[in-house]
Amino acid sequence: MSANNAFHIAVLAGDGIGPEVMAPALEVLRKIETKSDLRFRFTEAPAGANNYLATGKSMPDSTIKLCEQADAILLGACGLPSVRYPDNTEIAPQIELRFIFDLYAGVRPARLIPGVPSPIVGADKRGIDLVVIRESTEGLFASMGKGVVTHEDARETLVITRKTSERLFEFSFRLAERRKARGKPGSLACVDKANVFKAFAFFRRIFDETAERHPDVKTDHLYVDACSAMLVKRPWDFDVMVMENMFGDIVSDITASLIGGLGMAPSADIGDKYAVFQPCHGTAPDIMGQGKANPTGMILSAAMMLDWLADKHGVESAAEAGETIERAVDQVYAGGLKPMEFGGSSGTADITKAVLAAL
């Protein structure tokens, strides 16, 4: 699309409950069109385990080309436990896209929405509002598909490069600065295991070099084990954290569990030019087709997409639209909405209807 406020969105609904949560997100964005000057063109394309079963590939070349041409990519959950590559790993287009488009910054916000239960005592009063930034192309995941397995042992290689680390840390400091400008602490912690591994000492050293260029951001260093323990005791003490790929994979699931679970958690994988937005949850084939899926994480991922588009293209109305979606979600949960995973009766249709009404 040529107009500054018109965006072409690649839609990869995926497998399992992926299409079920994608539909509400698109409804919300269409509603936004009626309330703002923004316009969207959605192009759907196949990706995931079902496409692998049909064609032998996780994604056709046409899907990759679409993603390359689109302004942003919305991705539902992909993969099914029963569908595997010959090496017994799952079909994971979400990971493949990170490598194809060099999406090095995995952004995993964890904000406790009013009315949503947290397992942490006092969280309802103190609040949780933090961001995990996970390097998404290197670390232990750089070895994906390249590991060596013999009868006697198996080996995977962790990779950390200066180029990617420098870009990751610059991204992280800019995000901390943006949060500070919005009234949040704007602090940044480097999470690693630098006391044991040379690779993480290298990672930390680059972080400190980058910190010198951002003197207004308060920084800290945490070992990943200590960080995990602190998160489940005092999550309100955290703001922004940046870490290696595997550590981020684990820690972001911890932080999602603090705010009601993966169904509430949005995410983005962002590079210098491209970005993918998807909920943190999986395909949940056990509830597929039953109307039980919680679309909140997918809806909030769409809100993250709008904020990114606003920053990338200078379209302030897109950022405002993203905030409008977040406020609508807050309103319905504060009003007593209770999804089935919290023991309530609200399914996919009920949650979607409530958010649309709040908009």
Side-chain angles (χ1 to χ4, degrees):
M1 289 184 170
S2 56
N4 290 338
N5 63 341
F7 300 108
H8 180 201
I9 311 301
V11 177
L12 282 55
D15 306 303
I17 63 170
E20 297 174 41
V21 298
M22 181 66 78
L26 299 184
E27 284 190 71
V28 165
L29 290 171
R30 290 187 183 102
K31 182 77 169 182
I32 287 294
E33 283 187 309
T34 69
K35 297 174 60 63
S36 70
D37 62 348
L38 300 175
R39 296 295 176 265
F40 303 104
R41 176 163 62 90
F42 302 114
T43 303
E44 299 186 14
N50 287 315
N51 193 74
Y52 177 78
L53 287 174
T55 68
K57 296 179 70 174
S58 66
M59 293 178 286
D61 292 341
S62 58
T63 293
I64 297 170
K65 186 174 180 63
L66 167 67
C67 291
E68 185 177 2
Q69 295 172 341
D71 292 303
I73 304 157
L74 276 180
L75 179 67
C78 286
L80 293 171
S82 60
V83 183
R84 306 258 174 170
Y85 287 119
D87 65 0
N88 205 39
T89 57
E90 288 190 30
I91 314 304
Q94 64 272 29
I95 299 177
E96 294 166 26
L97 287 168
R98 296 169 196 165
F99 291 106
I100 293 169
F101 294 112
D102 195 19
L103 310 177
Y104 56 85
V107 183
R108 310 289 189 265
R111 182 175 65 89
L112 184 61
I113 293 171
V116 174
S118 170
I120 307 302
V121 175
D124 55 337
K125 296 181 177 62
R126 301 293 297 269
I128 300 172
D129 189 350
L130 57 85
V131 181
V132 172
I133 301 178
R134 164 194 179 185
E135 196 291 311
S136 290
T137 60
E138 295 183 344
L140 196 55
F141 278 72
S143 191
M144 191 179 76
K146 303 172 185 175
V148 177
V149 180
T150 70
H151 180 70
E152 300 299 331
D153 63 18
R155 297 174 185 267
E156 305 277 4
T157 302
L158 180 147
V159 177
I160 291 176
T161 68
R162 173 171 288 276
K163 177 184 176 182
T164 295
S165 297
E166 286 178 342
R167 290 188 298 166
L168 176 74
F169 293 142
E170 283 292 345
F171 179 94
S172 302
F173 275 98
R174 289 197 305 270
L175 179 62
E177 289 165 348
R178 285 186 72 196
R179 283 173 65 85
K180 188 174 183 179
R182 295 177 178 181
K184 297 175 182 179
S187 61
L188 178 62
C190 179
V191 180
D192 55 46
K193 198 64 178 170
N195 57 330
V196 176
F197 296 102
K198 291 181 180 179
F200 288 114
F202 175 73
F203 189 73
R204 178 179 288 202
R205 187 162 65 250
I206 298 170
F207 175 84
D208 289 340
E209 292 170 4
T210 310
E212 294 177 2
R213 298 192 291 272
H214 299 269
D216 294 334
V217 176
K218 181 182 176 182
T219 60
D220 197 3
H221 301 98
L222 293 169
Y223 298 134
V224 67
D225 45 346
C227 174
S228 300
M230 293 167 64
L231 276 169
V232 297
K233 294 175 74 174
R234 298 180 60 85
W236 43 82
D237 288 345
F238 290 85
D239 191 35
V240 184
M241 296 173 281
V242 60
M243 62 200 74
E244 176 270 340
N245 207 336
M246 179 60 82
F247 288 168
D249 190 21
I250 297 166
V251 171
S252 61
D253 272 19
I254 294 174
T255 56
S257 72
L258 305 181
I259 60 162
L262 293 173
M264 300 297 298
S267 78
D269 288 302
I270 298 173
D272 292 335
K273 185 177 179 181
Y274 303 97
V276 173
F277 301 86
Q278 65 178 117
C280 287
H281 62 71
T283 54
D286 57 320
I287 62 169
M288 179 177 62
Q290 300 173 39
K292 296 179 178 180
N294 183 354
T296 304
M298 185 77 244
I299 291 170
L300 291 175
S301 295
M304 286 184 71
M305 179 188 73
L306 293 175
D307 187 66
W308 178 78
L309 287 169
D311 186 52
K312 184 174 178 61
H313 297 282
V315 182
E316 186 58 33
S317 60
E320 293 169 358
E323 292 173 358
T324 298
I325 293 171
E326 290 186 356
R327 285 195 300 269
V329 171
D330 286 6
Q331 180 181 327
V332 298
Y333 277 97
L337 182 75
K338 200 170 183 181
M340 292 182 180
E341 68 259 44
F342 301 158
S345 59
S346 296
T348 313
D350 297 323
I351 297 169
T352 305
K353 183 178 179 181
V355 173
L356 290 171
L359 283 171

